[in-house]
């Protein structure tokens, strides 16, 4: 990505971190009671168990034979909180209210001041990016702060998911590391707010994920060209603190890769096979202790480990599919070794259901589209298996990989049955019912989240119903038609990305010069464009009334089948009312009322960029209960016309003069928008949001 290189301020002197830590403590004096963050109990096992880069040389460089490099985070000017997650901070034994009030906390949680016991470091890893091996990558903007011991009395369920007994803290946006390449190691409000909010909503949706403790912003500035359009602007440096048992990933094991046959790149630790074994021992002993205990044979242990990683990966991608989440950049370096959702960049929750949904505007080929995610995760597991060889014999890995599709389908169907309220019996026809539902949603342009949420309002057929079946189906159809796209929306959605003349040229080339065609395009992309062109032609010939009639017919047909299937849920049940109530309860606790749609995040980002952080905090509060209605939290804060906080007024006053026009333009856009509730289908302006 092309960034304009910002001025980094005064020259920095790099000294050994041991001296810096000592100086920092002396400088603070006897302040052990000043900040709760100074009382965290660090136990940085990863830095003791895994090879540490002996060099502390500044600047980007190849790091050989090491998993971590010591770094010194670069302080931010006047760091301050945008928002804190009390639930995430509780993992560390911290009280969110106390942290939010602590004047030193923004410094500690942005890396501007080092906590006692913290040992800042950056992790070395490699990765396959968009299918090509990219060589050394590593933490270019993230910084390991250390591992905090689990506080007494933590939820046993959390300990089951994290048997290591420690939580790794990481700050993202703390400046240069040996892995920053041509970038500056900084993050801005946009990316930090998006990662913070999505990390938390995924947790509250029940999807395995890394957590986010807070967002900090500052008066330090960097230059960013948001849309790579040649119009750069100054933005505030910000940071997000992430929490997980570990941030090790598939790419962590790719540092040993031999020269790639396509790119020629190799891992920086190629030939150091003993480190691979050391890493596997650490990961299995710390995070998969049951496997370590139950498999004294090393090969069998490693196979069991890979099988569990495969199972967890299948589970998490099935959960993504069931909440309409698209990651956007499923490179091997963004795949957690624990099966967590990791690295929130150009992600997106799907609005109108489209299996070809692409949330990342940079993904021109659709490699990481919504429907491609399960297959891509398997592809990434193949690359992990290659990276683990010979510790993991290839033939044994292949046998485990053959289980992936069955695992994924099992997790997916289990989740989908709950979403449809099919709880009492599993029937072979359920898979077809789900497929037909998704096809109907696609054909009608139905909103993914709201359509599933509305299904619990469709009643089960019972004896002695006061209304005729036809009338009940009509009412249910009317309910779901509210979530369908208009004619203009469908036309916009099916407009091909290619000019028809370009498409015709590529089709001709595919016949006359297949080799050249393969270099500049692919048949999947062309097929997708032709399908859109055909749909657009049909829509152009139809009128709004004709479309509504067709949508109603499609939904009536599916609802009739669904109600017949629901009736079989009641067979043999003595308490029909209890079955009905359980079905609604399960569906409404499985199908969220609200997710982090792009327009919701964008409203919060634009308010924060003008100095008003209240919308970020409000959205977090809404997302902490995504399945519930929260009176008083239906609309964004700006709908109530509330005045900005004192903090907001101060931040607004600090805007530099060259930002004034942009801020006024953003403000006018915001006030011109028609307010919609958080649980609404996206407004028209949301279609213009571009995430790369």
């Amino acid at each position: 990505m092309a960034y304009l290189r910002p001025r980094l301020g005064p020259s920095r002197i790099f000294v050994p971190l041991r001296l810096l830590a000592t100086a920092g403590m002396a400088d603070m004096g006897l302040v052990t009671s000043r900040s709760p963050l100074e009382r965290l109990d660090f136990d940085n096992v990863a830095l003791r168990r895994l090879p540490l880069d002996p060099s502390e040389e500044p600047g980007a460089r190849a790091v050989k034979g090491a998993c971590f490099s010591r770094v010194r985070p670069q302080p931010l000017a006047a760091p301050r909180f945008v928002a804190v997650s009390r639930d995430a901070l509780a993992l560390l034994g911290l009280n969110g209210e106390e942290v939010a009030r602590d004047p030193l906390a923004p410094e500690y949680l942005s890396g501007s001041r080092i906590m006692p016991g913290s040992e800042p470091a950056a992790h070395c890893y490699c990765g396959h990016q968009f299918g090509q091996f990219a060589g050394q990558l590593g933490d270019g903007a993230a910084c390991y702060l250390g591992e905090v011991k689990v506080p007494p009395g933590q939820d046993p369920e959390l300990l089951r998911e994290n048997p290591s007994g420690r939580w790794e803290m990481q700050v993202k946006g703390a400046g240069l590391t040996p892995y920053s390449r041509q970038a500056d190691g900084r993050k801005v409000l946009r990316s930090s707010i998006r990662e913070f909010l999505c990390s938390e909503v995924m947790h509250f949706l029940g999807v395995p994920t890394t957590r986010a403790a807070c967002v900090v912003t500052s008066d330090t500035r960097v230059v960013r060209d948001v849309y790579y359009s040649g119009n750069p602007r100054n933005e505030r440096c910000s940071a997000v603190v992430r929490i997980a048992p570990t941030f090790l990933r598939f790419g962590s094991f790719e540092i040993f890769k031999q020269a790639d046959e396509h790119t020629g790149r190799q891992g920086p630790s190629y030939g150091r096979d003993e480190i691979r074994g050391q890493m596997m021992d650490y990961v299995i002993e710390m995070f998969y202790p049951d496997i370590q205990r139950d498999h004294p044979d090393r090969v069998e242990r490693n196979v069991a480990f890979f099988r569990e990683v495969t199972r967890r990966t299948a589970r998490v991608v099935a959960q993504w599919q069931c909440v309409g989440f698209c990651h956007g950049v499923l490179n091997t370096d963004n795949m957690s070794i624990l099966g967590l959702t990791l690295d929130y960049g150009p992600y997106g929750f799907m609005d109108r259901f489209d299996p070809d949904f692409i949330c990342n505007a940079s993904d021109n080929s659709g490699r990481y589209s919504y429907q491609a995610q399960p297959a891509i995760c398997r592809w990434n597991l193949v690359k992990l298996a290659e990276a683990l060889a010979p510790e993991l014999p290839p033939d044994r890995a292949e046998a485990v990989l053959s289980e992936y599709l069955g695992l994924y389908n099992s997790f997916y169907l289990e989740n989908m049955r709950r979403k449809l309220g099919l709880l009492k019996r599993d029937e072979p026809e359920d898979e077809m019912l789900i497929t037909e539902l998704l096809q109907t949603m696609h054909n009608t342009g139905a909103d993914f989240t709201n359509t599933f949420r509305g299904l619990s309002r469709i009643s089960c057929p019972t004896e002695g119903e006061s209304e005729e079946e036809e009338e009940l189906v009509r009412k249910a159809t009317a309910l779901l038609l509210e979530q369908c796209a208009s004619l203009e929306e469908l036309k916009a959605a099916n407009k091909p990305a290619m000019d028809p003349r370009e498409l015709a040229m590529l089709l001709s080339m595919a016949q006359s010069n297949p080799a050249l065609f393969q270099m500049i395009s692919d048949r999947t992309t062309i097929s997708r464009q032709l399908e859109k062109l055909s749909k657009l032609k049909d829509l152009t010939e139809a009128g709004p009334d004709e479309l509504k009639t067709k949508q109603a017919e499609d939904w009536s047909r599916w609802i009739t089948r669904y109600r017949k299937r629901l009736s079989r849920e009641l067979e043999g049940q003595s308490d029909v009312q209890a079955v009905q109530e359980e079905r609604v309860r399960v569906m409404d606790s499985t199908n969220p009322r609200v997710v982090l749609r792009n327009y919701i995040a964008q409203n919060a980002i634009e308010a924060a960029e003008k100095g008003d952080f209240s919308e970020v905090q409000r959205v977090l509060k809404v997302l902490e209960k995504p399945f519930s209605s929260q009176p008083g939290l239906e609309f964004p804060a700006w709908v109530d016309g509330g005045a900005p906080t004192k903090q907001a007024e101060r931040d607004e006053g600090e805007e530099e003069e060259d930002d004034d026009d942009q801020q006024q333009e953003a403000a006018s856009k915001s006030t011109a928008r028609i307010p919609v509730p958080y649980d609404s289908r996206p407004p028209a302006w949301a279609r213009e949001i571009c995430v790369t």
Side-chain angles (χ1 to χ4, degrees):
M1 293 185 291
Y3 289 117
L4 292 177
R5 188 73 179 234
R7 291 178 60 197
L8 295 179
S11 300
R12 291 170 289 110
I13 299 173
F14 282 76
V15 297
L17 284 207
R18 290 176 297 282
L19 297 180
L20 283 167
T22 304
M25 285 301 293
D27 195 39
M28 285 187 288
L30 298 175
V31 293
T32 53
S33 62
R34 280 198 302 174
S35 170
L37 293 160
E38 293 166 8
R39 300 193 294 269
L40 290 176
D41 189 4
F42 281 94
D43 182 21
N44 306 323
V45 177
L47 299 189
R48 298 199 300 271
R49 292 283 305 271
L50 299 175
L52 194 57
D53 178 12
S55 171
E56 295 182 10
E57 177 188 346
R61 54 188 166 82
V63 175
K64 301 179 179 180
C67 297
F68 287 92
S69 302
R70 292 192 184 275
V71 297
R72 180 66 179 177
Q74 297 167 255
L76 295 172
R80 53 198 175 274
F81 282 131
V82 175
V84 300
S85 169
R86 287 149 180 79
D87 194 83
L89 286 168
L91 296 174
L92 309 175
L94 294 170
N95 179 287
E97 299 290 347
E98 191 179 357
V99 170
R101 291 193 304 266
D102 177 13
L104 292 179
E107 295 185 53
Y108 281 130
L109 295 177
S110 63
S112 302
R113 182 187 289 250
I114 307 303
M115 292 174 282
S118 172
E119 297 182 77
H123 176 42
C124 181
Y125 54 81
C126 293
H128 282 78
Q129 299 194 322
F130 286 86
Q132 301 296 317
F133 186 64
Q136 178 180 294
L137 298 170
D139 287 335
C143 173
Y144 163 104
L145 293 176
E147 299 157 66
V148 176
K149 289 183 180 178
V150 167
Q154 192 143 96
D155 184 350
E157 185 65 20
L158 290 174
L159 298 180
R160 189 177 67 81
E161 292 290 325
N162 179 17
S164 72
R166 299 178 314 283
W167 292 104
E168 180 179 329
M169 290 182 70
Q170 186 186 82
V171 60
K172 192 171 182 179
L176 290 168
T177 78
Y179 313 105
S180 296
R181 292 168 283 169
Q182 288 78 41
D184 55 25
R186 292 300 194 188
K187 294 297 176 182
V188 296
L189 264 176
R190 290 177 288 111
S191 57
S192 300
I193 288 172
R194 281 176 56 83
E195 174 139 24
F196 171 74
L197 290 174
C198 200
S199 300
E200 291 307 278
V201 73
M202 290 294 269
H203 167 72
F204 290 108
L205 287 170
V207 180
T209 179
T210 59
R211 301 294 301 277
C214 65
V215 180
V216 176
T217 194
S218 72
D219 289 345
T220 304
R221 299 273 183 159
V222 287
V223 177
R224 292 289 186 264
D225 186 350
V226 183
Y227 300 111
Y228 308 107
S229 59
N231 297 303
R233 65 182 174 107
N234 272 303
E235 297 191 62
R236 292 187 185 276
C237 288
S238 303
V240 59
V241 170
R242 310 196 296 184
I243 301 171
T246 181
F247 286 89
L248 294 179
R249 53 201 71 207
F250 290 12
S252 302
F253 292 92
E254 291 188 294
I255 62 174
F256 314 106
K257 181 175 169 56
Q258 64 185 19
D260 186 77
E261 60 180 321
H262 300 294
T263 67
R265 300 187 181 99
Q266 70 177 32
S269 294
Y270 170 64
R272 299 292 303 274
D273 288 356
E274 76 282 1
I275 300 178
R276 180 193 292 110
Q278 192 177 346
M279 286 181 66
M280 291 189 72
D281 289 345
Y282 169 74
V283 169
I284 297 171
E285 289 171 19
M286 290 295 103
F287 307 108
Y288 296 93
D290 290 350
I291 290 174
Q292 178 71 22
R293 184 193 64 230
D294 296 342
H295 297 86
D297 179 82
R298 186 175 183 85
V299 170
E300 295 304 318
R301 181 201 71 166
N302 294 347
V303 171
F305 161 65
F306 184 63
R307 176 173 282 111
E308 179 61 15
V309 174
T310 298
R311 187 192 73 83
R312 293 189 186 194
T313 301
R315 177 186 66 176
V316 75
V317 70
Q319 289 175 281
W320 293 346
Q321 301 302 96
C322 289
V323 295
F325 175 79
C326 199
H327 184 282
V329 199
L330 279 177
N331 301 325
T332 56
D333 54 290
N334 293 332
M335 297 286 295
S336 164
I337 203 69
L338 302 184
L340 307 174
T341 313
L342 174 68
D343 286 350
Y344 292 92
Y347 65 83
F349 282 90
M350 188 159 45
D351 295 317
R352 175 184 51 81
F353 177 70
D354 179 2
D356 292 323
F357 171 63
I358 300 169
C359 60
N360 179 1
S362 305
D363 184 7
N364 297 319
S365 68
R367 176 181 176 84
Y368 298 140
S369 69
Y370 168 79
Q371 69 173 348
Q373 290 185 133
I376 284 295
C377 285
R378 186 190 184 281
W379 190 93
N380 289 339
L381 283 163
V382 170
K383 295 303 169 187
L384 174 62
E386 292 173 2
L388 296 177
E391 289 277 351
L392 176 69
D395 60 325
R396 301 294 301 277
E398 189 174 346
V400 172
L401 286 166
S402 69
E403 302 168 9
Y404 173 83
L405 184 59
L407 285 168
Y408 167 77
N409 284 337
S410 175
F411 285 124
Y412 180 78
L413 283 172
E414 179 185 356
N415 285 333
M416 276 294 183
R417 283 191 171 105
R418 288 176 63 83
K419 289 175 78 69
L420 269 66
L422 309 179
L423 311 176
K424 297 301 180 183
R425 54 200 295 169
D426 295 350
E427 295 191 358
E429 295 81 4
D430 291 349
E431 194 168 346
M432 181 56 67
L433 184 69
I434 293 164
T435 300
E436 290 174 350
L437 168 61
L438 296 176
Q439 187 61 58
T440 302
M441 290 170 66
H442 188 209
N443 291 344
T444 62
D447 186 86
F448 183 89
T449 300
N450 290 358
T451 297
F452 275 106
R453 182 70 177 185
L455 294 182
S456 65
R457 294 169 62 185
I458 298 176
S459 61
C460 288
T462 56
E463 292 183 11
E465 282 184 324
S466 58
E467 293 183 90
E468 294 292 331
E469 171 71 11
E470 186 176 330
E471 178 61 16
L472 290 167
V473 170
R474 188 193 66 77
K475 287 183 176 179
T477 299
L479 174 72
L480 297 186
L481 282 175
E482 293 176 5
Q483 302 304 329
C484 294
S486 68
L487 181 60
E488 293 308 311
E489 287 173 324
L490 288 175
K491 283 181 179 179
N494 286 285
K495 184 178 179 181
M498 293 181 182
D499 184 278
R501 290 169 295 183
E502 180 186 2
L503 199 53
M505 181 196 73
L506 288 171
L507 284 169
S508 175
M509 185 186 297
Q511 299 295 323
S512 61
N513 194 338
L516 179 60
F517 171 78
Q518 289 294 335
M519 291 174 64
I520 62 176
S521 189
D522 61 86
R523 294 186 182 277
T524 303
T525 300
I526 296 300
S527 175
R528 191 180 297 127
Q529 295 300 312
L530 286 172
E531 184 181 353
K532 283 193 168 188
L533 201 60
S534 174
K535 285 186 177 179
L536 183 61
K537 181 176 180 293
D538 292 341
L539 290 166
T540 303
E541 294 172 354
D545 293 340
E546 184 180 343
L547 175 68
K548 280 296 178 188
T549 299
K550 178 68 168 61
Q551 290 174 334
E553 290 172 354
D554 288 350
W555 277 117
S556 295
R557 189 160 45 249
W558 184 82
I559 289 167
T560 299
R561 292 174 183 168
Y562 179 48
R563 278 173 52 82
K564 286 180 180 177
R565 173 63 181 86
L566 289 177
S567 69
R568 295 197 291 277
E569 288 285 293
L570 303 179
E571 291 176 2
Q573 300 294 324
S574 58
D575 191 340
V576 171
Q577 182 67 23
V579 173
Q580 297 265 39
E581 289 173 357
E582 181 192 10
R583 169 181 164 262
V584 171
R585 179 184 57 78
V586 169
M587 292 178 73
D588 284 349
S589 62
T590 305
N591 296 313
R593 170 184 159 270
V594 61
V595 293
L596 184 61
R597 299 178 190 261
N598 273 338
Y599 82 89
I600 295 175
Q602 189 63 23
N603 275 335
I605 289 166
E606 290 182 8
E609 287 181 331
K610 292 182 292 195
D612 182 358
F613 305 148
S614 63
E615 184 61 17
V616 179
Q617 297 158 7
R618 186 181 183 90
V619 169
L620 174 63
K621 194 170 183 179
V622 170
L623 297 177
E624 286 175 339
K625 296 182 179 179
F627 301 101
S628 305
S629 176
Q630 299 187 64
L633 291 175
E634 294 88 352
F635 284 88
W638 59 267
V639 174
D640 299 328
T645 62
K646 291 181 180 179
Q647 174 71 52
E649 289 170 353
R650 185 171 71 84
D651 286 338
E652 274 190 299
E654 290 173 352
E655 294 293 343
E656 295 180 358
E657 290 182 7
D658 59 0
D659 281 342
D660 286 348
D661 291 342
Q662 290 173 333
Q663 297 296 344
Q664 289 170 8
E665 181 183 353
S668 64
K669 285 181 180 177
S670 178
T671 54
R673 291 173 183 168
I674 299 173
V676 295
Y678 292 120
D679 63 353
S680 169
R681 291 173 56 213
W685 63 265
R687 293 199 294 268
E688 305 304 316
I689 297 173
C690 177
V691 183
T692 64

